[in-house]
Amino acid sequence: EAGVAQSPRYKIIEKRQSVAFWCNPISGHATLYWYQQILGQGPKLLIQFQNNGVVDDSQLPKDRFSAERLKGVDSTLKIQPAKLEDSAVYLCASSLSAPAGYEQYFGPGTRLTVT
Amino acid sequence: AQSVAQPEDQVNVAEGNPLTVKCTYSVSGNPYLFWYVQYPNRGLQFLLKYITGDNLVKGSYGFEAEFNKSQTSFHLKKPSALVSDSALYFCAVRDIGNTDKLIFGTGTRLQVFP
């Protein structure tokens, strides 16, 4: 079974530029998560989708971050404009369904550096 | 609010010795607790979880964790450490409410020496 796919793996941009990340979850997983992991910290949830609906985006900086999951499968996360403090690893995860306590499966992440 | 704490930034252990990575939690209600491992330049891998049932949970790669309600702890253990176990370990708790949002600890780096 294929795991969670993410691209790109690495991205370097200048502040005020825009960037987009892509995620393809495990087939059949209804729930998709985007986490931000700043160096030296644990991951923090940015947004959770159940199929193509948003369940939780309370910690998403909506003035600059946006995310969508149009057909309930793939998802994109966008930052526009980027700030220096957005430098982090962006992790996508998926699980069977929520809320049910199912384990989440993580992709390899996208390491973003904002200069 | 739900939270977990990992009191040790780093744990060092010799190969073949038992290892323990500590985690304590603070929740309202019954906790759903998880352990994940992160290898360099890779995403998090699920090790094990506790939802209900036996206090001793067995997981992947020979790891196990003991849920202790009186001490609000969920320590990760392995009877005999391998050099390949060296990685970053995260404890997490499921948040309350209608989501499966995970609240992660700050992580503990495990270093196993030959």
Side-chain angles (χ1 to χ4, degrees):
Chain A
E1 175 181 90
V4 177
Q6 289 188 248
S7 67
R9 292 294 311 277
Y10 304 92
K11 190 74 177 179
I12 301 174
I13 61 172
E14 295 181 353
K15 59 184 179 182
R16 292 187 288 275
Q17 286 186 326
S18 62
V19 64
F21 313 128
W22 172 83
C23 173
N24 186 26
I26 292 173
S27 178
H29 281 193
T31 312
L32 185 146
Y33 313 78
W34 283 103
Y35 287 86
Q36 179 192 57
Q37 185 178 16
I38 293 173
L39 187 64
Q41 300 181 18
K44 181 187 78 173
L45 182 75
L46 292 174
I47 188 167
Q48 176 182 340
F49 292 94
Q50 180 73 8
N51 296 307
N52 60 350
V54 175
V55 176
D56 185 344
D57 63 357
S58 58
Q59 294 190 279
L60 186 73
K62 299 180 186 65
D63 58 334
R64 299 183 300 105
F65 285 65
S66 64
E68 60 183 13
R69 194 184 184 199
L70 290 176
K71 297 182 179 179
V73 181
D74 293 10
S75 176
T76 56
L77 175 70
K78 297 179 182 178
I79 307 175
Q80 181 180 8
K83 293 185 174 181
L84 295 177
E85 58 261 36
D86 298 332
S87 294
V89 176
Y90 291 85
L91 295 165
C92 179
S94 69
S95 66
L96 278 172
S97 187
Y102 290 114
E103 54 269 29
Q104 299 175 23
Y105 293 88
F106 286 78
T110 297
R111 183 177 298 277
L112 174 67
T113 302
V114 183
T115 63
Chain B
Q2 317 284 78
S3 66
V4 290
Q6 294 181 246
E8 302 157 318
D9 289 337
Q10 180 153 331
V11 170
N12 299 317
V13 64
E15 187 174 33
N17 283 1
L19 69 88
T20 299
V21 183
K22 295 180 180 177
C23 173
T24 58
Y25 64 87
S26 174
V27 303
S28 51
N30 295 320
Y32 285 25
L33 295 161
F34 300 78
W35 275 102
Y36 284 83
V37 60
Q38 187 173 35
Y39 297 98
N41 298 317
R42 295 174 66 176
L44 280 73
Q45 295 180 32
F46 170 76
L47 283 177
L48 50 80
K49 68 180 179 183
Y50 172 83
I51 295 179
T52 187
D54 284 343
N55 289 342
L56 185 64
V57 180
K58 294 191 182 296
S60 306
Y61 312 120
F63 283 94
E64 58 189 28
E66 186 172 9
F67 173 70
N68 188 317
K69 189 171 183 178
S70 63
Q71 296 186 4
T72 63
S73 67
F74 188 56
H75 299 334
L76 182 70
K77 300 181 180 184
K78 188 173 183 181
S80 179
L82 300 172
V83 173
S84 57
D85 293 329
S86 299
L88 191 56
Y89 290 80
F90 288 97
C91 180
V93 63
R94 179 191 173 207
D95 201 7
I96 57 175
N98 204 30
T99 77
D100 267 340
K101 171 180 170 181
L102 291 178
I103 309 296
F104 284 87
T106 51
T108 298
R109 185 163 300 281
L110 173 67
Q111 193 72 43
V112 182
F113 295 95

